[in-house]
Amino acid sequence: MVMVLFSWVIICGAALLFGKAITDSVYRDRPESMGRPDIYIITGIVFLTVYAQFFSLFYKVAGIACAVLGLFGMILCGIGVYRRLRHGRSFRFFPGYTWEKPPLWRIAALLFCFIFTLVWTVREPSQYDTGLYHAQAIRWVEEYGVVPGLGNLHMRLAYNSAFMPLQALFSLGWLLGQSLHSLNGFFCLAALFYAFSTVRRGKDGYRTSDLLKCVMAVYVVQKRYDISSSGTDIAAMLLILYIFVKWSEYVEQGERDGGLYGYLCLVSVFAATVKLSAASTAILSVYPLYFFIKERKGKAILAHVAAGACILLPFLIRNVIISGYLVYPYGGLDLFQVDWKMDREVLSSDSLDIKMFARGLRSAAEYDNSLIGWIPGWFMKQSMGSRVLIAAAVICIPVILYQLCKRFHDKEYAQVAFFGAGVVNLLFWFLTAPHMRYGEPYIYVLVVMALGTASGAAEKVSAKALRAVAAAVVGVFLLQYGWRLTQLWELEAKYWIRQPDYLSWQSTQYPLDNVHIWMPDEGDLSGYFAFPATPQRNQFEVLRLRGKSFEEGFRHE
């Protein structure tokens, strides 16, 4: 636990420091709107991720990367202190936040969130994909940065995510003697703190953004068993929920500043680099683009495009280096002819496997490529709760479309973008990879939108109704999230200091040219310690080193 707390302090401190420096410089004319803890942390996380990705292009992301980051951090602190002393200004770290003594219920909720997120983070990372390739991907970044043709060794490693270099940056294995997996815990804690510190009580009125904050809490509870793992789902989905919450808040406040909405669009670009299933949220960018064109703010358009390119560029470069494709596993973006490019048949097979997995199929013979022919079978394979949720979303779509047309007629384009993004996200998820793990928050968002509009869209709901909803959400939260307390006695004494390490599976080394590669003896799980590893026995025969070491990468012969 102590190690997890230590890593959270470092992550939070770095995110706040760099996030404040960037936000205060770029949005210096909007201190009241942008000088808030959530904005600083999100901006800081985006910067740290871009930094880790760029650093991985040249060197491994470990001690030196952290040392360089720490040096820049100290320089920023020095500059900040010098400016304050020179100008003699009163210092407010969060200029957009006014401190008020929180009520007792809010303090209790935040304390509860902190304790149990910490407890859930101090678990073995049991998510299947972490043993399959997440741990391996992180270790590759820790030890080599980025390696050409890494997808040829293990095609799952071609699922490049910006989250992996960020995880490597804060795994702190070079310092603590083990690679931590506490980043998802930090994301969950930040989301819960944001939700419970800003949600309003029933008697103060209710808006759509409040329900979306409740959805953030519910989602964290649902993913509690994955918090200690290194998967990309949690970070991506929480970013999407944050974007919708913040967008809804701006609409409810009557905010007309296109720059604030443009900022959220940049966060959506970042979310897409964490997980491609979040890419559809970029449709929100239509509104700030319209606003900037209407106001003839060409510089603002160029600034946002440049910022988006900076966020996207290292992700795309890593894609090309790892797989040879701009976006894997989409072969339509085949723009580069490099000797380490993955076999086209592997890409096509992997793309089909993703669709089959999402539709609950076990063999290619079951795959139905028609537009809707697969839906009945897919629907019946869902759990009863998921079926009810999907049915609710289908019912809500006409309500949302009606509101979209109405808002368009009334020229309320920020709400048009809000409703449109909700529908587009759901359709994109449904038509690409409709697994509940990838898109459940999209369904929640659509249902909340419909509830908000049915209640009078951003109007107050009776305190009695809100109290009932809040009680139900908090009840589920307490019962399911707090249940971990009963299992604390099973925690080994050493884990009160350390975090349980990655799991390992029995593996055997096999020669490849002048090196050795690990392969699991059974199944396809290898974990973190058998490194480097691959479960692809059929590809091993055509796998070759590009040079004499792993650093030079792999090619397909």
Side-chain angles (χ1 to χ4, degrees):
M1 283 189 181
V2 174
M3 282 188 176
V4 171
L5 280 174
F6 177 68
S7 69
W8 283 358
V9 170
I10 291 177
I11 297 168
C12 186
L16 284 174
L17 177 62
F18 288 100
K20 179 175 175 59
I22 295 170
T23 305
D24 289 355
S25 298
V26 177
Y27 298 96
R28 56 182 175 273
D29 57 336
R30 303 180 181 94
E32 295 299 321
S33 300
M34 300 297 288
R36 299 176 180 272
D38 57 296
I39 297 288
Y40 286 166
I41 287 179
I42 292 293
T43 304
I45 289 293
V46 173
F47 167 77
L48 292 168
T49 306
V50 172
Y51 165 79
Q53 290 180 97
F54 270 121
F55 199 95
S56 73
L57 300 178
F58 305 100
Y59 196 62
K60 62 183 180 180
V61 181
I64 294 179
C66 291
V68 172
L69 192 68
L71 178 61
F72 278 113
M74 287 188 288
I75 292 173
L76 281 178
C77 287
I79 293 173
V81 171
Y82 172 75
R83 286 180 175 177
R84 296 300 168 185
L85 292 176
R86 181 179 180 182
H87 297 288
R89 300 173 184 172
S90 59
F91 178 71
R92 290 178 62 193
F93 196 89
F94 303 117
Y97 180 78
T98 302
W99 168 256
E100 296 179 0
K101 185 178 179 180
L104 185 60
W105 71 268
R106 202 183 294 275
I107 295 174
L110 295 177
L111 183 61
F112 178 86
C113 292
F114 174 77
I115 292 173
F116 287 100
T117 304
L118 176 62
V119 170
W120 280 104
T121 305
V122 185
R123 294 181 70 248
E124 292 179 335
S126 57
Q127 189 182 38
Y128 188 90
D129 283 352
T130 294
L132 180 62
Y133 72 96
H134 293 158
Q136 287 280 311
I138 292 167
R139 187 164 178 182
W140 275 106
V141 179
E142 290 173 339
E143 299 201 10
Y144 294 96
V146 65
V147 173
L150 188 60
N152 289 310
L153 173 68
H154 189 337
M155 66 182 181
R156 297 293 193 277
L157 296 177
Y159 297 163
N160 178 38
S161 169
F163 184 80
M164 297 308 172
L166 182 65
Q167 174 73 62
L169 183 66
F170 292 112
S171 63
L172 305 178
W174 59 274
L175 178 65
L176 302 177
Q178 73 173 82
S179 183
L180 299 182
H181 38 92
S182 60
L183 195 56
N184 271 325
F186 176 79
F187 270 88
C188 290
L189 182 64
L192 291 174
F193 266 47
Y194 173 66
F196 280 92
S197 62
T198 59
V199 70
R200 283 160 288 203
R201 294 178 61 184
K203 67 178 183 180
D204 299 329
Y206 153 77
R207 295 177 186 272
T208 303
S209 60
D210 296 311
L211 255 189
L212 288 171
K213 290 169 186 175
C214 293
V215 168
M216 294 180 85
V218 170
Y219 179 74
V220 171
V221 171
Q222 289 183 325
K223 304 298 289 186
R224 60 193 181 278
Y225 291 105
D226 295 336
I227 288 177
S228 62
S229 296
S230 303
T232 58
D233 296 334
I234 291 177
M237 293 300 104
L238 287 178
L239 285 168
I240 295 303
L241 289 172
Y242 173 79
I243 292 167
F244 277 104
V245 169
K246 206 70 177 176
W247 194 286
S248 181
E249 284 186 340
Y250 288 155
V251 170
E252 292 161 2
Q253 295 165 5
E255 185 62 64
R256 300 291 182 183
D257 189 343
L260 303 184
Y261 294 101
Y263 170 81
L264 294 179
C265 294
L266 293 177
V267 178
S268 73
V269 173
F270 171 65
T273 67
V274 174
K275 197 170 185 68
L276 286 176
S277 59
S280 55
T281 311
I283 191 70
L284 286 167
S285 61
V286 172
Y287 173 69
L289 179 61
Y290 158 79
F291 180 89
F292 292 141
I293 292 175
K294 180 183 177 182
E295 298 294 324
R296 298 181 180 179
K297 295 185 176 181
K299 290 183 179 179
I301 295 176
L302 292 176
H304 282 81
V305 169
C310 288
I311 294 171
L312 200 56
L313 185 61
F315 169 73
L316 296 178
I317 294 175
R318 281 179 53 86
N319 275 343
V320 175
I321 295 176
I322 291 173
S323 67
Y325 295 91
L326 194 64
V327 180
Y328 181 90
Y330 301 102
L333 297 174
D334 187 1
L335 307 177
F336 303 93
Q337 300 302 319
V338 290
D339 67 285
W340 64 78
K341 180 180 290 186
M342 294 176 63
D343 185 16
R344 186 66 178 235
E345 291 184 5
V346 173
L347 179 143
S348 301
S349 174
D350 199 16
S351 180
L352 178 61
D353 286 343
I354 293 172
K355 296 177 182 178
M356 288 172 54
F357 171 75
R359 298 181 185 182
L361 306 178
R362 296 180 178 274
S363 67
E366 300 178 76
Y367 182 72
D368 183 353
N369 198 36
S370 63
L371 184 61
I372 60 174
W374 54 271
I375 294 178
W378 166 81
F379 182 78
M380 294 308 297
K381 290 179 180 179
Q382 306 301 320
S383 66
M384 183 56 67
S386 296
R387 291 182 204 172
V388 172
L389 194 59
I390 293 167
V394 172
I395 295 172
C396 290
I397 288 177
V399 178
I400 299 300
L401 292 177
Y402 168 75
Q403 288 294 329
L404 192 152
C405 295
K406 182 180 177 182
R407 305 296 177 182
F408 186 83
H409 180 268
D410 296 338
K411 297 183 179 181
E412 298 176 1
Y413 298 126
Q415 287 206 10
V416 170
F418 181 65
F419 292 133
V423 175
V424 169
N425 274 348
L426 187 70
L427 293 178
F428 179 79
W429 163 74
F430 185 72
L431 296 175
T432 53
H435 194 282
M436 294 302 290
R437 168 184 147 192
Y438 304 143
E440 200 165 19
Y442 296 148
I443 302 177
Y444 288 142
V445 167
L446 203 70
V447 173
V448 167
M449 286 180 178
L451 288 175
T453 57
S455 304
E459 293 294 333
K460 291 184 179 181
V461 177
S462 68
K464 183 178 179 180
L466 180 59
R467 281 195 296 269
V469 173
V473 172
V474 172
V476 171
F477 186 75
L478 289 174
L479 289 174
Q480 297 187 39
Y481 211 54
W483 185 255
R484 176 69 177 162
L485 186 63
T486 64
Q487 301 172 335
L488 276 182
W489 64 272
E490 300 175 0
L491 197 66
E492 295 184 32
K494 63 181 178 181
Y495 295 140
W496 290 91
I497 302 298
R498 310 183 69 85
Q499 184 183 33
D501 220 329
Y502 286 102
L503 298 174
S504 59
W505 288 264
Q506 188 66 39
S507 302
T508 303
Q509 282 188 319
Y510 293 87
L512 173 68
D513 296 342
N514 61 324
V515 297
H516 286 81
I517 304 292
W518 291 88
M519 284 191 186
D521 294 345
E522 295 182 5
D524 55 4
L525 301 182
S526 53
Y528 181 87
F529 300 101
F531 178 84
T534 178
Q536 298 175 216
R537 298 178 185 276
N538 57 335
Q539 292 291 320
F540 195 75
E541 297 178 359
V542 294
L543 180 69
R544 293 292 180 268
L545 286 177
R546 295 182 63 245
K548 296 182 179 180
S549 66
F550 293 134
E551 189 174 2
E552 296 172 82
F554 304 86
R555 61 183 176 85
H556 180 272
E557 186 176 74

